[in-house]
Amino acid sequence: MKIDSHQHFWNYDPVRDAWITDDMNVIQRDFLPHDLRPILAASGIDGCVAVQADQSEFETNFLLQLAGDNDWIKGVVGWVDLRAHDLDERLAHFSAEKKLKGFRHIVQAEPQDDFLLRADFCRGISILSKYSFTYDILVFHKQLPAALEFAKKFPYQPFVIDHLAKPDIKSGSLEGWKEYISAFKPLENVSCKLSGMVTEADWHHWKQDDFKRYMDAIVESFGTKRIMYGSDWPVCLLAASYPQVVEIAQRYFESFSADEQANFWGNNAEKFYNLK
């Protein structure tokens, strides 16, 4: 089964979704399952994981409703207040939702680079394994030192880094980013999504070769059993069509073995998120 491990749905709200600025007008509209389904089918993708874009339980329930209505939405990464005093109760409630696989916090938007190391946040993370929930790490590359320390604190918690931790692909720089990405190599509980690359590149003038050194570094650090394909649709539309995003990965992995390609395109996501 081929899986897109990272995409979003929303009913566009200009207040709630203020992060979608006017230079992103191409995604200032609704994006729902009926928009994505034919696109996945045309690219030979069998299912997807819907990831939160808003920090509310309303968002979590919205995605779960869509997943319940569409069997090809195989899993949901939602949001819950991981700093809440009643978190255990909230996780117990959500554990009844079989398609809810894990949670994410938009750490990249937090002003502190070491937000992940806050005591209240770490307390919340420590409870996730009780309910077999995963956690998606969304950070800018400048936040990688804290992310590395954070991942080491919880060696039995399944983590996945979204969007390669957003390296500066536009400038072509590997400085700082590669050093810390390489340090994740021995942390077998941490995976990485090859997603969100086109929006870290020059939106209008990127080329295939722009991504090679970054993908090389990810494969070197995580191997072929801890990486997974993600489109970041519809955000990717700022810089590329869905077929173009697929082609970037296809061209890079075409020299890999059939088993390695199968792991990247679906097996790893199925295992990480326990998809059915």
Side-chain angles (χ1 to χ4, degrees):
M1 185 164 62
K2 285 191 172 183
I3 296 293
D4 181 341
S5 71
H6 197 105
Q7 53 76 215
H8 309 285
F9 297 115
W10 60 68
N11 287 307
Y12 176 64
D13 180 313
V15 176
R16 182 197 62 194
D17 303 323
W19 64 273
I20 306 177
T21 52
D22 287 343
D23 62 332
M24 304 179 183
N25 64 301
V26 69
I27 60 171
Q28 286 180 329
R29 66 174 182 84
D30 298 351
F31 287 92
L32 295 167
H34 68 262
D35 299 303
L36 180 60
R37 182 54 176 154
I39 296 172
L40 293 183
S43 293
I45 307 294
D46 302 300
C48 64
V49 176
V51 179
Q52 62 86 222
D54 178 59
Q55 303 204 136
S56 68
E57 288 194 12
F58 177 86
E59 170 86 342
T60 304
N61 290 322
F62 165 69
L63 295 178
L64 287 170
Q65 179 64 52
L66 297 182
D69 293 341
N70 298 274
D71 61 2
W72 51 272
I73 303 175
K74 300 297 184 181
V76 166
V77 175
W79 185 89
V80 69
D81 187 354
L82 290 164
R83 295 165 289 175
H85 293 297
D86 66 344
L87 177 62
D88 209 321
E89 176 185 326
R90 301 310 302 145
L91 294 180
H93 163 76
F94 280 122
S95 66
E97 298 285 353
K98 298 308 179 187
K99 282 197 173 182
L100 184 57
K101 304 303 180 178
F103 296 96
R104 184 175 83 154
H105 186 89
I106 303 176
V107 175
Q108 69 175 31
E110 296 291 346
Q112 317 100 290
D113 286 349
D114 62 350
F115 175 89
L116 286 169
L117 300 176
R118 286 179 50 143
D120 55 356
F121 194 80
C122 287
R123 173 191 168 275
I125 293 293
S126 72
I127 304 173
L128 291 182
S129 61
K130 176 179 177 181
Y131 298 96
S132 300
F133 284 126
T134 63
Y135 181 76
D136 273 52
I137 298 174
L138 176 62
V139 292
F140 286 123
H141 62 89
K142 68 175 184 175
Q143 297 166 310
L144 271 174
L148 177 62
E149 185 177 345
F150 171 72
K152 288 179 176 178
K153 287 171 67 74
F154 302 100
Y156 302 108
Q157 170 62 44
F159 293 118
V160 61
I161 297 172
D162 293 345
H163 312 329
L164 292 70
K166 297 199 165 187
D168 189 1
I169 299 174
K170 185 175 182 179
S171 75
S173 174
L174 295 165
E175 186 176 353
W177 174 81
K178 186 176 180 180
E179 172 190 355
Y180 282 101
I181 279 293
S182 297
F184 283 92
K185 186 172 185 175
L187 305 186
E188 296 187 0
N189 61 313
V190 185
S191 298
C192 187
K193 294 181 183 179
L194 270 76
S195 59
M197 291 188 295
V198 291
T199 46
E200 298 308 311
D202 184 322
W203 291 1
H204 305 293
H205 301 100
W206 60 263
K207 54 188 183 299
Q208 177 79 23
D209 286 348
D210 294 342
F211 309 110
K212 184 180 185 301
R213 293 188 302 156
Y214 298 94
M215 291 190 284
D216 284 345
I218 293 299
V219 172
E220 181 180 336
S221 298
F222 295 92
T224 56
K225 293 185 177 180
R226 289 160 51 199
I227 56 174
M228 55 190 85
Y229 165 71
S231 68
D232 199 27
W233 180 94
V235 182
C236 68
L237 301 178
L238 296 170
S241 67
Y242 195 99
Q244 285 177 309
V245 172
V246 170
E247 185 182 12
I248 290 168
Q250 284 178 332
R251 289 178 62 183
Y252 180 80
F253 284 100
E254 63 187 1
S255 64
F256 286 63
S257 72
D259 285 346
E260 289 171 328
Q261 292 187 49
N263 287 337
F264 169 73
W265 287 107
N267 293 347
N268 295 340
E270 283 188 66
K271 181 178 179 181
F272 181 83
Y273 285 122
N274 189 28
L275 305 179
K276 306 298 183 183

